[in-house]
């Protein structure tokens, strides 16, 4: 009886090891059969601006890796559409995105799709506020503060040790 039990145990171990070897062979075979020049699934590191006002069309820039073959942008909710999409090398996309006037106000997911797969998720905010991007001009001192009109959502990007200053104009009631 003990001999039969040991045979059963070794049979299970052998079956498990064989299954693992088959899986490894499949994965290696898929890598080997990958078309020449295939870069892998797209990876998004940043989206700027990270959102848009309802009822507007905005240009956005997407940075990352393996972006040259991206065929479309996918959003997790309806009401957001890609009007134009152009690769600017392997690490940058330029897109024009339109947001329906009745799109739901919320943060949604954005992904890039290529023949090599689907990218990681980046968040994209649908807002009811007008959007204003940080200007390329320096705005790192109070004397160089970028003027903005209230109410507004300001889209900016901080780098290491970056300071951004804004001069907010608020209308008197």
């Amino acid at each position: 009886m003990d001999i039969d039990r040991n045979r059963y145990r070794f049979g299970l171990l052998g079956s498990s090891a064989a299954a693992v070897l088959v899986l490894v062979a499949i994965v290696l075979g898929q890598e080997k059969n990958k078309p020449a020049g295939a870069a892998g699934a797209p990876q998004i590191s940043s989206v700027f601006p990270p959102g848009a006002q309802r009822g507007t069309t905005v240009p956005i820039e997407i940075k990352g890796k393996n972006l040259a073959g991206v065929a479309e942008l996918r959003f997790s909710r309806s009401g957001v559409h890609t009007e134009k999409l152009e690769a600017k090398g392997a690490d940058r996309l330029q897109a024009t995105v339109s947001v329906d006037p009745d799109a739901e106000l919320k943060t949604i997911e954005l992904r890039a799709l290529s023949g090599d797969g689907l990218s990681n998720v980046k968040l994209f905010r649908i807002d009811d506020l007008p959007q204003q991007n940080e200007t390329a001009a320096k705005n790192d001192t109070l004397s160089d503060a970028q003027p903005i009109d209230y109410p507004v959502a300001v889209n900016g990007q901080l780098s290491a040790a970056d300071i951004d200053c804004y001069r907010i104009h608020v209308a008197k009631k």
Side-chain angles (χ1 to χ4, degrees):
M1 184 84 163
D2 286 335
I3 294 173
D4 288 339
R5 237 185 270 162
N6 285 336
R7 271 193 216 151
Y8 177 72
R9 282 188 202 142
F10 286 120
L12 281 180
L13 287 174
S15 298
S16 298
V20 168
L21 287 175
V22 168
L23 285 174
V24 168
I26 289 171
V27 169
L28 290 176
Q30 287 174 344
E31 286 298 314
K32 186 178 177 182
N33 293 331
K34 204 179 226 187
Q43 297 174 6
I44 300 175
S45 57
S46 68
V47 176
F48 188 80
Q53 182 181 15
R54 302 196 273 205
T56 63
T57 299
V58 297
I60 64 171
E61 180 178 65
I62 299 170
K63 292 182 180 177
K65 294 180 181 177
N66 307 327
L67 300 177
V70 170
E72 71 177 278
L73 298 179
R74 290 202 174 167
F75 296 91
S76 61
R77 298 277 188 211
S78 61
V80 184
H81 316 278
T82 305
E83 301 295 326
K84 181 180 173 187
L85 181 64
E86 183 179 357
K88 300 289 188 175
D91 61 353
R92 196 164 62 96
L93 292 172
Q94 292 285 333
T96 303
V97 174
S98 65
V99 181
D100 292 347
D102 59 348
E104 187 177 6
L105 298 173
K106 74 182 310 170
T107 301
I108 62 173
E109 297 175 355
L110 173 141
R111 291 178 179 252
L113 177 68
S114 77
D116 291 322
L118 196 58
S119 75
N120 58 305
V121 169
K122 281 298 176 182
L123 299 179
F124 192 80
R125 178 77 187 154
I126 307 304
D127 208 332
D128 59 348
L129 291 174
Q131 309 284 300
Q132 185 169 345
N133 294 339
E134 175 183 10
T135 61
K138 288 197 168 249
N139 65 340
D140 54 358
T141 64
L142 289 177
S143 61
D144 294 327
Q146 179 180 339
I148 59 173
D149 290 324
Y150 177 83
V152 67
V154 178
N155 297 309
Q157 293 178 313
L158 291 173
S159 57
D162 188 20
I163 296 172
D164 293 330
C165 298
Y166 298 93
R167 180 165 295 144
I168 302 171
H169 177 263
V170 179
K172 187 176 184 179
K173 285 189 174 187

